[in-house]
DNA sequence: TCGCCAAAGATTGTCGACAAAATTTGTTAG
DNA sequence: CTAACAAATTTTGTCGACAATCTTTGGCGA
């Protein structure tokens, strides 16, 4: 018997070059290293990953299907730039799905699941303490994804995979200013409610958490998009 | 100014061959013309649509991303065969999403929206009266999709597009026997509740409707999959 | 007669080359 | 000095051919 191959794409260590490309781009977007609007040229990527351009092409179409990038005919691939309207819809969809995931998770969470959630909140707090933004983003996303794993519905889990990524893009575009967003530890109380099997409290906390995230967005000041040359070459002085 | 091109793929009349292929396969699956497990050969499709094999390839990867077909490496593309577990998850996801869509639709439905819903139920009843299964399936799906259009959230609408298709596949595999499923007009009362802006009733009706569909599944008797040669050549007599 | 192995055929996957389109660069006129 | 036009370059899209893999067919021996 041959070993089972995990269906989900894990960061790095990919079986085929196509997966390495998608994983790298996904990770870069998830950690705010690739700003919205960045052009992803085919040749640049095929050079980087030392593979044929057809692999790059497949990876890009796959990412486009997840709304992580946008394909413009005869123009190329760009990191997606969600509109304010789209952002609203993404948050609404997230609330819907995470509410259900929370209810499911309450019924199924085992002690080790809760311990894993707790561990993620601790690691996230550590990352925040040392101002490691990429790790913080990654762990925050992992927290929400872990909830979907516990819930045990792979369809909803896959939807949430896409939605959390799009949320990260949105935060990069419209949020993160004013130290709002994930400043405090909002995940800790969520684990508490999950451990207490307090469904009403858990759902309320998640709703609040997502509402808080969304309320922190500022659509009038869309910074953090792909920088032009001028912005990159003429650095504005820090306050 | 050039005209805007509708982003959603409509049946037939496609801009590029790739869209024609995806639309045709989607329509065939949505009307139970393509049973689960059917092999979709690349050359067969490129002959049918008189296009290059690369177009077929793109169409197939797109369909695989929507879980309508399954791509097996070095083996080819097959119409997806959802497992009982996957079926349960799809229905759970549908309930979650349609509940929210119902609540949103109540807030936004205009008179002409309700008229359109009513019109779809009438057409569906007519199709059922003349035993036009494909039209019935198509119109039933259109009913649910129209609810998502009224709700005005394109993210959730796209999720539902995928879920309704997968549901149709599931019904073809495990359902439709014993004249259950869409035998009665369950859509009519839904429109009534929507028109009355009765949120509790609307949500309850949709929950019931989906639960009824799911309850009609029979996982022990997975008929209607891709027929083997023997099944196709030796017809069993009708009762 | 049944099961196993090998060859032939068909299908999928990969690659490089060319065509089409867009972007950039350079030039010239106003 | 600016704007507009044209050439050159870069980038994307398409195609056909070949390699790798799987499936089927035919043959052999137990």
């Amino acid at each position: 018997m041959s070993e089972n191959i995990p269906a989900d794409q894990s960061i790095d260590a990919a079986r085929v070059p196509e997966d390495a490309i998608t994983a790298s781009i996904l990770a870069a977007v998830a950690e705010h290293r690739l700003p919205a609007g960045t052009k992803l040229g085919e040749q640049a990527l095929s050079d980087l990953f030392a593979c044929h351009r057809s692999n790059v092409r497949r990876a890009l179409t796959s990412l486009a299907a997840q709304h992580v990038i946008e394909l413009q005919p005869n123009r190329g691939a760009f990191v997606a730039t969600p509109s304010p309207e789209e952002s609203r819809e993404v948050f609404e969809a997230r609330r819907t799905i995470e509410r259900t995931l929370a209810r499911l998770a309450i019924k199924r969470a085992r002690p080790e699941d809760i311990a894993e959630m707790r561990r993620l909140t601790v690691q996230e707090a550590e990352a925040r303490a040392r101002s490691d933004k990429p790790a913080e983003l990654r762990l925050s996303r992992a927290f929400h994804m872990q909830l979907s794993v516990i819930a045990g519905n792979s369809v909803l889990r896959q939807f949430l995979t896409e939605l959390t990524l799009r949320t990260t893009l949105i935060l990069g575009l419209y949020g993160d200013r004013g130290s709002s967003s994930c400043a405090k530890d909002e995940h800790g109380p969520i684990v508490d409610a999950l451990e207490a099997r307090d469904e009403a409290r858990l759902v309320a906390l998640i709703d609040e958490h997502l509402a808080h995230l969304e309320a922190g967005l500022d659509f009038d000041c869309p910074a953090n998009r792909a920088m032009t040359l001028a912005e990159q070459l003429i650095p504005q002085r820090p306050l």
Side-chain angles (χ1 to χ4, degrees), chain A:
Chain A
M1 305 289 176
S2 66
E3 297 177 38
N4 265 350
I5 299 163
D8 271 4
Q9 55 211 352
S10 60
I11 306 297
D12 287 345
R15 183 155 294 272
V16 287
E18 173 190 343
D19 293 341
I21 303 171
T22 47
S24 292
I25 294 179
L26 286 175
V29 168
E31 295 179 0
H32 281 182
R33 296 194 312 258
L34 269 181
T38 307
K39 162 135 195 191
L40 301 171
E42 295 184 359
Q43 190 161 329
L45 289 172
S46 64
D47 289 349
L48 258 178
F49 290 90
C51 65
H52 196 265
R53 201 157 59 93
S54 57
N55 294 319
V56 174
R57 231 148 205 296
R58 258 199 304 284
L60 292 178
T61 58
S62 165
L63 291 168
Q66 301 172 59
H67 300 95
V68 174
I69 69 173
E70 189 184 352
L71 289 179
Q72 298 183 22
N74 286 322
R75 298 262 343 265
F78 302 83
V79 177
T81 305
S83 67
E85 174 64 10
E86 184 183 332
S87 305
R88 214 186 47 74
E89 294 178 351
V90 165
F91 271 98
E92 190 153 47
R94 262 196 82 165
R95 269 191 297 273
T96 296
I97 286 172
E98 289 207 52
R99 265 196 291 259
T100 297
L101 287 173
R103 292 203 181 89
L104 293 173
I106 277 202
K107 293 181 194 151
R108 298 178 34 115
R110 300 164 307 165
E112 54 262 43
D113 294 327
I114 290 168
E116 170 69 13
M117 295 281 281
R118 191 80 67 188
R119 202 154 56 78
L120 285 170
T121 63
V122 171
Q123 290 185 350
E124 186 188 344
E126 290 170 359
R128 184 164 42 239
R130 66 173 187 273
S131 295
D132 185 348
K133 268 284 175 195
E136 193 183 335
L137 285 167
R138 181 159 25 86
L139 289 162
S140 171
R141 196 163 102 90
F143 177 87
H144 289 270
M145 290 315 300
Q146 179 63 18
L147 194 75
S148 76
V149 169
I150 296 173
N153 184 317
S154 62
V155 174
L156 289 175
R157 175 168 52 77
Q158 195 150 341
F159 284 162
L160 191 65
T161 300
E162 181 179 323
L163 290 176
T164 51
L165 255 169
R166 295 172 81 173
T167 302
T168 306
L169 264 175
I170 291 164
L171 286 176
L173 253 178
Y174 305 114
D176 265 356
R177 261 170 309 289
S179 76
S180 71
S181 69
C182 300
K184 317 189 218 327
D185 173 31
E186 296 192 343
H187 288 165
I190 289 176
V191 183
D192 296 337
L194 177 64
E195 190 168 24
R197 318 270 170 183
D198 187 339
E199 181 176 310
R201 184 152 60 99
L202 178 61
V203 171
L205 282 173
I206 285 181
D207 258 346
E208 272 176 44
H209 176 44
L210 293 175
H212 185 211
L213 269 184
E214 188 177 5
L217 300 182
D218 178 10
F219 296 120
D220 297 326
C221 170
N224 284 69
R225 78 179 81 191
M227 282 188 284
T228 83
L229 254 197
E231 291 170 314
Q232 289 183 313
L233 292 183
I234 305 171
Q236 44 262 31
R237 74 194 63 189
L239 299 187

